[in-house]
Amino acid sequence: LTPADFDAKPMVLVVGGYSVGKTSFIQSLVGRDIPGARIGPEPTTDRFTAVMGSEQGIDRIVPGHALAMQADRPFQGLQ
């Protein structure tokens, strides 16, 4: 484990097949729509995305491949 693993805030990982309600579940959990999230009967995503909230209520959407390249994030093992 790296220092980034210990310094990171807690995370929730939602995994499931296509069109089983992952995005709807996350939106219900946070109580609002997620900017850029698409919901449809066809596959809409094929990679992981981090949705990060802030105290100001502004969401940051970061593609997983960008996070995997940052040494200060706990995603380097996904490279």
Side-chain angles (χ1 to χ4, degrees), residues 33-58:
D33 288 342
I34 302 298
R38 294 179 295 145
I39 298 175
E42 72 285 340
T44 55
T45 56
D46 61 353
R47 57 194 59 90
F48 86 93
T49 303
V51 179
M52 295 178 265
S54 69
E55 292 178 8
Q56 294 81 21
I58 300 169

Side-chain angles (χ1 to χ4, degrees), residues 12-34:
V12 175
L13 175 66
V14 179
V15 179
Y18 289 117
S19 300
V20 295
K22 296 178 298 291
T23 301
S24 297
F25 170 74
I26 293 168
Q27 289 179 346
S28 177
L29 187 67
V30 299
R32 62 182 184 278
D33 288 342
I34 302 298

